Amino acid sequence: MNLKQLINKSVCGIIGYISSISDIDVLEQYIVYNLSVLKECKLILVATNYENINLSTSNDALWKKYFPDCILLTSKVNRGHNFGTADLDNMVFDWCKENNEEWLFKTATDFIFNTSIFDIEIKEADFYYMNGIGYGGMVRYDFDIDKIITEDFFPQTNFYFINVDKTDYINNKQYLDETYQHVQSIPNYSGKIWEYFQGWECEGFLKQCIERNKLSKYHLISQEKYSILLEIIKKYNIHDPSHKNIMIEGICHLQFPNQQIIEI
């Protein structure tokens, strides 16, 4: 089976944050770039939070311009980068659960992907992902690439496919609410929730989800290209595990559109 077959039966859940009208102009460039892939999805589902909720009218119009039948979800509150992202992740998953959709293709508005991803050969699994690791993660394995390939599991949250039918939830809403309420009382809160609650990370929550539901998993990055990626991380001391501006297997977290892309 190739990835295109999975894309064809998946609801594409796209999350994003809009801070200004200029964000919508940039977003349109991403949509246009990704059109050939997005049009192959069963349905487009978009969940967004805003700096100013009035921006939702322009954002909705943009998505409807390209996908008239898309489903648009607006977060009633914006709880900041970490909590807001977790909230949006829950929104797209919950919609699929409530509407009996079997597969969710989860991504974000700052990702681009080429049609070459259609040809990625995959084996049957419940969860398809790209592993996230940075320099610090490699240190824990003493830079043993073979060991990292076989043992490390830290799935990126911005590009994956998950069997919704076999999954209970992504992020624990009660825990999110409790920790959010706690940080509201912290003077000069840094915004780095993991500094106050060890293990508070969306990647960690996703990992717990996969392990809790005993989902079978398949890594979308070939061993050859993953080895090259790890060598790049080691050589250039890259600590960010989300691999921004690195195009691998035709997929790129393009957070910095005006900067160079490294293609593997």
Side-chain angles (χ1 to χ4, degrees):
M1 180 169 73
N2 59 39
L3 195 61
K4 184 175 185 293
Q5 292 171 283
L6 182 59
I7 290 171
N8 290 157
K9 62 181 181 180
S10 297
V11 171
C12 184
I14 307 170
I15 71 164
Y17 163 69
I18 298 294
S19 65
S20 65
I21 196 68
S22 62
D23 285 355
I24 296 175
D25 295 334
V26 173
L27 174 58
E28 183 163 21
Q29 297 177 53
Y30 280 76
I31 293 174
V32 170
Y33 187 97
N34 292 330
L35 266 181
S36 296
V37 174
L38 294 178
K39 285 183 176 296
E40 292 295 329
C41 297
K42 181 179 179 182
L43 178 71
I44 300 299
L45 169 68
V46 183
T48 310
N49 54 27
Y50 298 88
E51 183 69 25
N52 183 338
I53 195 66
N54 292 330
L55 293 166
S56 63
T57 301
S58 298
N59 188 50
D60 290 354
L62 172 63
W63 283 105
K64 288 291 185 179
K65 173 182 175 181
Y66 293 97
F67 302 98
D69 298 324
C70 69
I71 304 297
L72 300 169
L73 307 176
T74 298
S75 180
K76 295 180 180 179
V77 294
N78 177 13
R79 301 202 288 184
H81 175 62
N82 299 294
F83 289 98
T85 298
D87 290 340
L88 295 177
D89 285 355
N90 280 341
M91 287 178 70
V92 293
F93 178 85
D94 290 350
W95 188 93
C96 290
K97 197 76 170 175
E98 292 163 4
N99 289 274
N100 300 311
E101 295 290 349
E102 181 181 10
W103 283 97
L104 167 64
F105 164 21
K106 161 69 203 312
T107 188
T109 53
D110 59 354
F111 260 67
I112 61 172
F113 18 81
N114 299 325
T115 53
S116 62
I117 70 172
F118 292 155
D119 299 322
I120 297 175
E121 290 295 324
I122 58 176
K123 296 180 180 179
E124 186 171 344
D126 304 316
F127 178 67
Y128 300 86
Y129 70 104
M130 301 176 71
N131 206 52
I133 189 169
Y135 190 89
M138 294 188 69
V139 169
R140 291 195 293 270
Y141 291 94
D142 196 27
F143 300 101
D144 187 330
I145 289 181
D146 290 336
K147 197 170 184 179
I148 292 171
I149 290 173
T150 56
E151 296 183 12
D152 191 64
F153 178 55
F154 194 65
Q156 295 189 44
T157 61
N158 281 332
F159 192 95
Y160 64 81
F161 296 79
I162 192 167
N163 188 317
V164 177
D165 287 347
K166 297 183 179 181
T167 309
D168 51 3
Y169 62 88
I170 300 294
N171 303 309
N172 186 314
K173 296 176 184 177
Q174 181 177 346
Y175 181 70
L176 294 181
D177 290 343
E178 289 174 353
T179 51
Y180 181 75
Q181 290 302 320
H182 182 83
V183 300
Q184 299 311 299
S185 63
I186 298 176
N188 301 314
Y189 170 55
S190 69
K192 299 177 180 179
I193 180 63
W194 56 89
E195 294 181 348
Y196 303 87
F197 292 91
Q198 185 176 4
W200 203 116
E201 54 196 5
C202 290
E203 296 88 352
F205 297 154
L206 182 57
K207 175 181 178 178
Q208 293 170 18
C209 168
I210 304 312
E211 294 177 343
R212 179 179 67 248
N213 289 281
K214 297 180 172 59
L215 301 185
S216 59
K217 57 185 184 289
Y218 186 86
H219 195 195
L220 290 171
I221 306 176
S222 69
Q223 185 169 320
E224 177 186 2
K225 290 190 176 183
Y226 192 50
S227 296
I228 296 172
L229 174 65
L230 293 172
E231 292 290 358
I232 291 173
I233 291 170
K234 179 182 178 181
K235 180 178 180 179
Y236 294 101
N237 199 10
I238 300 173
H239 285 262
D240 187 344
S242 66
H243 311 147
K244 295 180 178 69
N245 282 51
I246 298 178
M247 173 77 75
I248 184 165
E249 302 288 6
I251 304 159
C252 180
H253 184 181
L254 189 59
Q255 185 166 351
F256 309 111
N258 295 321
Q259 296 182 17
Q260 180 184 3
I261 294 176
I262 298 173
E263 186 168 0
I264 298 175

